Amino acid sequence: MHQFDLKNRTSIITGGAQGFGLNIAKRFLNSGGKVIIWDIDENELLKASKELDNSNLSFNVVDVSNYNQVKVAVDKIIKNSNIDILINNAGITGSTASLWEYDIEEWNKIVNINLMGTFNCCKCVVPNMIKNNYGRIVNVASVAGKDGNANASAYSSAKAGVIGLTKSLGKELADKNIAVNAITPAGAKTRILKQMSKEHVARMLSKVPRGRFLEIEEFTSLICWLSSEENSFSTAAIFDISGGRSTY
Ligand SMILES: NC(=O)c1ccc[n+]([C@@H]2O[C@H](COP(=O)([O-])OP(=O)(O)OC[C@H]3O[C@@H](n4cnc5c(N)ncnc54)[C@H](O)[C@@H]3O)[C@@H](O)[C@H]2O)c1
């Protein structure tokens, strides 16, 4: 697999204990980077650290929807190191139901993790990137944020919010060597699919002209380029990886 040069680059990957995030951590470590994984699930974090078994890896239990937890974790890191790369990947879809039947607490939780979590991490990390005039931020949105999936109004709204946040922050930082981009994947076989009904997942798949799920490694390849120094121009942009589903 093609390697990007991430030597001496420190990254935070949120929601990195499994699924997409764990695969990103693997590629970043193989590319010579230092990786800090944050996740809310301590058991999965312990499993991931055993699996990755790398002295350049550290991990913490951090709930990205909790601003204070994020701030404390960032302040601890920047005592010893800069933060070069931030991957806002932590997310949940929540269950599938029509908007008028959606549980209000669950709706808020979905928006808090996907959108406020991305805001909290950017807010705490960006000042360090500005100080060093270097940074690469990749926000993991979803094709749902562009198209709006029926019976997933909270998730679609939160991911549309992540797209807006990315375009806005990217422009705010465009005069510095800091790139802020988002990607909009179609469905991939990770644990997150279990949160939705089988019918909903089948409907998602039926909309993809490629006719199959996105492979996790295909997702990570795009993340690697966006996170590398080689991406020195693209910013405030939304990169499609939906197998032909999105028309814009
Ligand atoms: N898999 C897909 O089909 C798909 C498609 C489009 C977008 N995405 C997005 O990709 C990202 C990763 O999802 P995945 O498919 O790897 O799912 P996953 O469930 O395998 O992994 C998500 C991780 O995020 C962690 N997490 C959840 N809430 C958290 C919080 N509050 N703070 C910190 N960590 C938290 C979970 O513990 C888990 O380890 C999500 O943002 C998701 O919305 C996934």
Side-chain angles (χ1 to χ4, degrees), residues 42-89:
E42 189 168 17
N43 281 338
E44 289 297 327
L45 273 174
L46 291 168
K47 269 200 250 165
S49 90
K50 247 193 196 158
E51 185 185 330
L52 295 172
D53 188 25
N54 192 304
S55 59
N56 280 333
L57 172 76
S58 57
F59 62 90
N60 293 100
V61 176
V62 177
D63 175 354
V64 295
S65 68
N66 182 321
Y67 176 77
N68 288 331
Q69 278 187 32
V70 173
K71 178 89 175 88
V72 167
V74 167
D75 286 349
K76 212 162 138 195
I77 297 167
I78 60 178
K79 274 190 190 145
N80 305 309
S81 156
N82 293 323
I83 299 162
D84 303 297
I85 301 168
L86 169 64
I87 311 294
N88 283 306
N89 166 75

Side-chain angles (χ1 to χ4, degrees), residues 14-21 38-41 44 62-65 88-93 113-114 140-143 155 159 184-193 195-196 204 219:
T14 72
Q18 61 197 314
F20 282 157
W38 290 348
D39 204 286
I40 203 171
D41 188 330
E44 289 297 327
V62 177
D63 175 354
V64 295
S65 68
N88 283 306
N89 166 75
I92 59 167
T93 58
I113 294 176
N114 290 287
V140 180
S142 165
V143 68
Y155 184 67
K159 292 302 194 185
T184 55
K189 281 187 191 157
T190 66
R191 192 194 61 158
I192 212 169
L193 292 192
Q195 294 171 28
M196 300 170 281
M204 277 165 46
F219 163 94

